[in-house]
Every structure is written in C-alpha cells, then in structure tokens.
Amino acid sequence: GESVGLHLPTLSVQEGDNSIINCAYSNSASDYFIWYKQESGKGPQFIIDIRSNMDKRQGQRVTVLLNKTVKHLSLQIAATQPGDSAVYFCAENRRAGNQFYFGTGTSLTVIP
Amino acid sequence: GAVVSQHPSRVICKSGTSVKIECRSLDFQATTMFWYRQFPKKSLMLMATSNEGSKATYEQGVEKDKFLINHASLTLSTLTVTSAHPEDSSFYICSARGGAGGRETQYFGPGTRLLVL
C-alpha cells in the first residue's frame, strides 16, 4: 500500500505486505530528515534518518528514500506487522536555527 | 538511547489557573530543548526552542507571555501555561538535544496531556 501523506492521511495494509508512506517537505535548505513513529498517547520514536547527501538509507525492515529534486521523502516498511500500526511523521531539519519541523503525518493500520 | 521524561503525564485544571510541565533529560546534558504542541490526529507543532541559560526562541504565532519557558539547567526545562483556557487543552511534547549525539540527535519525552475545564 502507498500514501501521499498530505492528501491521504490514512493507509491500511494487510499484514505481511510492504508499506510505503510518503512525505513532501517544504524547504530546499533542509539537509537532514528523520522518520518518526508515534503510537497513541506517546511521544515520537526515532525510526531512521537520512542526510541530504544521500538518496537512500536502509535499516531493519525500513528504507528511506530522498528525492531532493522534488523535495520528497518516502518510508518503506517491509513485511508490515500489526505492531507497525501507528502514525508516521517525517521531520526536516534546517541547519540555520537547528529546529525540526514535522510533516502532516500518515496513520498506518495493519490488518491481521 | 538517551531518556527524556516529562511530568506530569496528565493534568486537568480549571480555566484561569497556570500549569507547569517539566521536561528532564535523565542521562545526558541537553544544551537545547524543544517544546511542541499536538492536537488530536494532527502533527507536532514546534512552539519554541530553549537553550540553557538564555531566553527561549518562540515560533511565529506562539505567545511568549502565555507559554513561559525556563531552561535553568542542562537537564531541566519547564513550560508554564499561564491563565489556561479550554483552547489550551492539548498534548505537549518536549524533546532534548545534546549528549554524545550530533546536532541532529533529538530525543522525545512521552508527552503531557493537558485538559482545561
């Protein structure tokens, strides 16, 4: 399954399928990006990060892709599990000021 | 990984009262702490950046006299919601940066849910 972040804030996938969550960022000066997972009533958890000098980074079951030309990030989750159900946010870091700004978020629901 | 705590985790108060929320870095020194606000089913909105020993920097549209931030030590930042009103009800989350991580490393607290009656 695939989402377009801002336009499709919810995504439902079958357990075992791959998930793709998309995020469009706004500032071309952003040079560092993080994907966070947030479960209901909890603070965000770090999943994976990527710097602007890379276009792909892989972790355990997760891959982040960065397209600076169109200012687009995606998070791919392989073999999605029920425990992956959560809201996923991308965050961009702008070197000047050093703050992180969060995207809209996508709610992922994994259907057993 | 580094641990950030918040206290209280939940608070209910009457309209007009002030509420203080604490954010602590438990096992590292946080040179910078950030305060976010989150409404249900919405994203995190950065409210302010707090550097130890100096005044906080507020994002546009955030009232600094309404949301008082103090970062008196390298392990503690407080957010005080003054004269709280029902529209201030929200989930407040802090994050801390510092320790062995680089500029980008940011650790989040578990959040504080505020309900103003």
Side-chain angles (χ1 to χ4, degrees):
Chain A
E2 184 169 347
S3 83
V4 188
L6 292 176
H7 301 291
L8 292 173
T10 61
L11 175 65
S12 295
V13 298
Q14 288 291 138
E15 181 178 359
D17 286 354
N18 296 332
S19 302
I20 299 175
I21 299 171
N22 295 299
C23 177
Y25 64 94
S26 55
N27 196 314
S28 56
S30 297
D31 62 351
Y32 180 66
F33 305 87
I34 300 179
W35 278 100
Y36 286 96
K37 173 185 180 183
Q38 187 181 29
E39 296 174 331
S40 181
K42 297 183 180 179
Q45 282 178 278
F46 174 96
I47 301 174
I48 191 167
D49 60 356
I50 189 167
R51 297 179 190 277
S52 59
N53 61 351
M54 304 169 70
D55 52 22
K56 181 179 179 178
R57 190 152 189 242
Q58 287 185 289
Q60 189 176 15
R61 280 202 308 121
V62 294
T63 300
V64 55
L65 299 178
L66 173 62
N67 185 329
K68 294 182 290 294
T69 303
V70 295
K71 297 202 284 289
H72 182 270
L73 268 160
S74 69
L75 176 70
Q76 300 176 4
I77 304 174
T80 316
Q81 301 168 0
D84 295 328
S85 294
V87 178
Y88 290 81
F89 294 100
C90 66
E92 57 180 303
N93 181 242
R94 304 167 194 174
R95 182 175 288 274
N98 207 10
Q99 292 90 347
F100 278 89
Y101 295 94
F102 281 73
T104 305
T106 297
S107 176
L108 174 66
T109 300
V110 181
I111 304 164
Chain B
V3 178
V4 176
S5 71
Q6 281 184 241
H7 177 80
S9 58
R10 290 175 181 270
V11 57
I12 301 173
C13 70
K14 292 182 179 179
S15 187
T17 60
S18 294
V19 175
K20 181 186 282 189
I21 302 170
E22 293 185 349
C23 177
R24 291 181 186 274
S25 56
L26 298 185
D27 52 0
F28 69 102
Q29 292 185 328
T31 51
T32 305
M33 288 184 168
F34 303 90
W35 286 96
Y36 295 84
R37 182 175 183 176
Q38 186 177 33
F39 291 106
K41 300 189 188 301
K42 297 292 185 183
S43 188
L44 280 75
M45 184 192 79
L46 179 65
M47 299 174 67
T49 303
S50 165
N51 292 299
E52 186 267 337
S54 63
K55 289 184 179 179
T57 303
Y58 290 81
E59 294 296 300
Q60 192 172 8
V62 178
E63 298 176 60
K64 58 183 179 183
D65 295 330
K66 172 77 172 173
F67 299 100
L68 301 178
I69 292 172
N70 184 283
H71 192 162
S73 78
L74 285 170
T75 59
L76 173 64
S77 176
T78 60
L79 167 68
T80 301
V81 182
T82 62
S83 187
H85 291 285
E87 57 265 31
D88 298 324
S89 299
S90 192
F91 193 48
Y92 292 88
I93 306 173
C94 73
S95 69
R97 182 174 63 84
R103 70 170 175 99
E104 305 92 350
T105 307
Q106 185 178 201
Y107 305 98
F108 282 85
T112 296
R113 189 161 301 282
L114 170 64
L115 176 61
V116 185
L117 302 176

